[in-house]
């Protein structure tokens, strides 16, 4: 989520390599996306989510959605609901009639739908990648390579709509061969939201017979 402002560009001096120029161009586009995204009061995203590992013969596909407002979010994925109210993370699993309450993780090694808009602002090297035409839309891809060597992520491709400067697709490739793809179906901004949308009602779930787990 939104934690810190984007770091400033390193000053590029005359005679730097074409790789450095491409890296600067990629970072400039990400800066533009970040400025655009943080100008909205709230964002609603409906997306497709695919996780695939060919060697392990694994392929999972589902749909999900997330509402973002500042640091807070409400996400629905894999039949579960996750709420972050700015302090605690609440994960509701109706099939198990369980609610888990915990502090937010400061070190997450994967890109979740709720982080896909702003995670890239630090900790990566950037490369300018391919331009694709997707149903008449120009999608410019930027490749991110984590600086930390102990991460499980090999690389991340971000596909950015050239006109709206919104993220259209995220493709995360793990070092174990697992590929996670998030494709945005709908991107809505400044929607009317209930004042209680990011408020967890513990009493309601207790009355419904849910087991409350505190970590």
């Amino acid at each position: 989520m939104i934690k810190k402002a984007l770091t400033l560009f390193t000053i590029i001096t005359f005679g730097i390599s074409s790789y450095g120029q491409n890296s600067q161009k990629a970072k400039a586009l990400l800066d533009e996306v970040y400025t655009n995204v943080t100008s909205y009061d709230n964002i609603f995203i409906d997306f497709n989510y695919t996780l695939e590992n060919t060697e392990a013969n694994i392929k999972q596909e589902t749909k999900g959605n997330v509402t973002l407002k500042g640091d807070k979010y409400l996400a629905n994925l894999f039949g579960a609901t996750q709420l972050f109210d700015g302090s605690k993370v609440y994960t509701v699993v109706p099939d198990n009639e369980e609610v888990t309450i915990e502090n937010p993780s400061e070190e997450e090694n994967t890109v979740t739908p709720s982080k896909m808009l702003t995670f890239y602002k630090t900790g990566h090297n950037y490369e300018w990648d391919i331009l694709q035409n997707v149903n008449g839309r120009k999608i410019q891809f930027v490749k991110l390579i984590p600086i930390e060597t102990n991460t499980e992520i090999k690389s991340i491709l971000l596909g950015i709509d050239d006109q709206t400067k919104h993220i259209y697709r995220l493709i995360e490739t793990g070092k174990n061969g697992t590929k996670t793809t998030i494709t945005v179906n709908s991107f809505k901004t400044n929607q009317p939201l209930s004042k209680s949308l990011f408020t967890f009602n513990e009493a309601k779930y207790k009355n419904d017979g849910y087991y409350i787990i505190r970590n």
Side-chain angles (χ1 to χ4, degrees):
M1 304 301 292
I2 301 170
K3 297 177 181 177
K4 299 179 182 178
L6 280 166
T7 55
L8 297 175
F9 281 129
T10 300
I11 297 175
I12 306 300
T13 57
F14 179 76
I16 198 157
S17 68
S18 60
Y19 170 83
Q21 292 170 1
N22 284 336
S23 177
Q24 183 189 30
K25 186 165 62 171
K27 183 64 161 56
L29 179 58
L30 294 179
D31 279 345
E32 194 172 356
V33 171
Y34 178 83
T35 299
N36 192 22
V37 165
T38 54
S39 69
Y40 302 125
D41 178 68
N42 62 71
I43 299 170
F44 173 81
I45 303 170
D46 179 84
F47 57 88
N48 288 339
Y49 179 97
T50 303
L51 185 147
E52 188 172 11
N53 188 310
T54 304
E55 291 185 4
N57 197 29
I58 295 173
K59 186 172 184 179
Q60 298 176 330
E61 295 179 284
T62 189
K63 293 181 178 291
N65 60 70
V66 59
T67 302
L68 307 160
K69 181 179 174 62
D71 287 335
K72 301 176 182 179
Y73 66 84
L74 177 67
N76 297 287
L77 186 66
F78 291 120
T81 297
Q82 189 170 86
L83 166 71
F84 178 54
D85 63 2
S87 177
K88 298 285 187 180
V89 177
Y90 307 85
T91 303
V92 181
V93 184
D95 286 348
N96 299 338
E97 294 189 336
E98 288 183 352
V99 177
T100 302
I101 304 174
E102 55 194 339
N103 292 321
S105 172
E106 295 182 359
E107 297 182 359
E108 296 182 40
N109 292 322
T110 188
V111 178
T112 61
S114 59
K115 296 195 315 181
M116 69 178 290
L117 299 173
T118 56
F119 76 93
Y120 50 78
K121 57 190 182 297
T122 57
H124 300 85
N125 291 319
Y126 312 97
E127 295 179 9
W128 196 256
D129 211 271
I130 63 172
L131 176 68
Q132 287 187 342
N133 187 311
V134 180
N135 297 324
R137 299 165 63 187
K138 292 182 179 179
I139 306 297
Q140 176 63 56
F141 280 86
V142 172
K143 189 173 186 178
L144 292 86
I145 301 173
I147 295 173
E148 292 290 336
T149 57
N150 62 350
T151 178
E152 296 177 2
I153 298 173
K154 181 180 179 181
S155 66
I156 298 167
L157 279 170
L158 282 179
I160 298 164
D161 188 304
D162 186 62
Q163 182 177 0
T164 65
K165 297 301 185 289
H166 293 162
I167 295 176
Y168 166 71
R169 179 167 290 159
L170 179 152
I171 304 171
E172 174 191 295
T173 302
K175 292 179 179 177
N176 64 352
T178 299
K179 181 180 290 186
T180 303
T181 303
I182 298 171
T183 301
V184 174
N185 298 318
S186 176
F187 189 108
K188 298 178 182 179
T189 62
N190 301 334
Q191 300 294 294
L193 302 179
S194 167
K195 292 181 179 180
S196 62
L197 183 65
F198 302 107
T199 301
F200 179 71
N201 188 341
E202 184 172 341
K204 172 186 177 300
Y205 287 99
K206 284 184 176 179
N207 291 338
D208 290 343
Y210 276 66
Y211 182 62
I212 309 297
I213 305 170
R214 299 181 186 274
N215 291 338

